[in-house]
Amino acid sequence: MEKLIIFSAPSGSGKTTVVKHLLEVMDQQLAFSVSATTRSPRPGELNGREYHFLQLDDFREKIKDGAFLEHEEVYAGILYGTLWSEVKKIWADGKAVVFDVDVKGGLNLKRQFGDQALAVFLRPPSVDVLMERLTKRSTEVEHQLQERIAKANYELSFESQYDTVVVNDKLDVTFATCEKLVSDFIAKD
Ligand code: ADP
Ligand code: 5GP
């Protein structure tokens, strides 16, 4: 079966950290779906690796062409979307696709794919811890940081709609829990 594994959580919960780890330890079974976005690359991010960085016009053109499985305006004026081309390439390689998408995009994919998809909600131990992690990461300017924190409570209200919730407190425990969840899901018919 062609499978999808969705990780959603408020920004700063640890999705990128967890997904990167899973891809390292399960690289024969999993591959990452590189999304498209209209935001600018952060230092160290490469076009085609973390994201396909697009101008707004190009993104809109792709929406018209039906290139996306789903797309969302995750932050004001900033679009993100999952590309069919990525998913098809990974399935053709015989691997399951891993996504790091916002809560709406995650639930949208789950609705489309049902039992073919495992939807994991990664939750920080508290909003205070989330703020601390985001602030320490230092990747957002102040107003973006505020926007991400303000959105966190709204996003946290979606957790019950996910297949499973993992609290990301101690990272080694989170890694072990997610590895088990994902390998059990992949092993299922
Ligand atoms: P997201 O992709 O959800 O925005 P990141 O993976 O970038 O989140 O994590 C946000 C920050 O928190 C990063 O600096 C990361 O190193 C740190 N972090 C992630 N998980 C933990 C954890 N369990 N304990 C402490 N710090 C963590
Ligand atoms: P960041 O800018 O921190 O990389 O990501 C911001 C948010 O956009 C995160 O919640 C991330 O999961 C989400 N995101 C990344 N790619 C996609 C996508 O293809 N679709 C949707 N809906 N959200 C995405």
Side-chain angles (χ1 to χ4, degrees):
M1 196 202 282
E2 293 169 329
K3 290 185 178 168
L4 305 89
I5 298 157
I6 302 156
F7 279 89
S8 298
S11 181
S13 302
K15 288 177 308 274
T16 309
T17 308
V18 170
V19 166
K20 230 177 124 189
H21 171 78
L22 290 173
L23 291 165
E24 273 166 23
V25 297
M26 302 178 73
D27 68 323
Q28 298 304 308
Q29 294 122 297
L30 301 180
F32 183 61
S33 164
V34 180
S35 292
T37 181
T38 62
R39 84 154 161 75
S40 317
R42 292 175 185 146
E45 286 184 334
L46 274 185
N47 190 26
R49 188 178 67 186
E50 279 79 12
Y51 285 105
H52 298 286
F53 294 99
L54 300 181
Q55 298 299 318
L56 189 56
D57 286 351
D58 296 336
F59 198 105
R60 290 211 175 106
E61 199 59 37
K62 285 201 182 298
I63 297 175
K64 266 203 244 144
D65 293 345
F68 294 111
L69 283 83
E70 63 78 36
H71 58 87
E72 296 284 343
E73 183 173 349
V74 178
Y75 300 105
I78 307 184
L79 303 179
Y80 293 80
T82 305
L83 292 158
W84 270 116
S85 54
E86 288 284 320
V87 173
K88 288 192 172 152
K89 186 176 68 190
I90 294 167
W91 281 343
D93 275 352
K95 295 183 179 182
V97 193
V98 181
F99 302 90
D100 167 346
V101 292
D102 85 315
V103 287
K104 281 200 187 156
L107 290 173
N108 184 345
L109 289 171
K110 179 67 191 173
R111 265 194 303 275
Q112 290 184 56
F113 291 95
D115 288 345
Q116 241 179 300
L118 171 70
V120 184
F121 192 92
L122 201 62
R123 184 154 67 75
S126 67
V127 173
D128 280 352
V129 171
L130 180 74
M131 280 167 61
E132 205 179 289
R133 286 184 190 164
L134 264 183
T135 311
K136 267 202 206 142
R137 192 175 71 186
S138 315
T139 47
E140 271 67 41
V141 296
E142 186 59 26
H143 77 275
Q144 288 169 336
L145 185 66
Q146 291 311 327
E147 189 182 7
R148 282 170 187 243
I149 291 167
K151 202 170 173 192
N153 278 313
Y154 166 73
E155 290 170 322
L156 286 167
S157 70
F158 286 86
E159 70 169 54
S160 63
Q161 296 178 54
Y162 276 72
D163 294 324
T164 182
V165 177
V166 176
V167 179
N168 179 21
D169 188 358
K170 295 274 174 277
L171 201 51
D172 53 346
V173 178
T174 304
F175 282 171
T177 307
C178 292
E179 279 173 45
K180 167 114 182 61
L181 274 170
V182 169
S183 44
D184 287 353
F185 177 70
I186 288 177
K188 257 191 345 191
D189 282 337

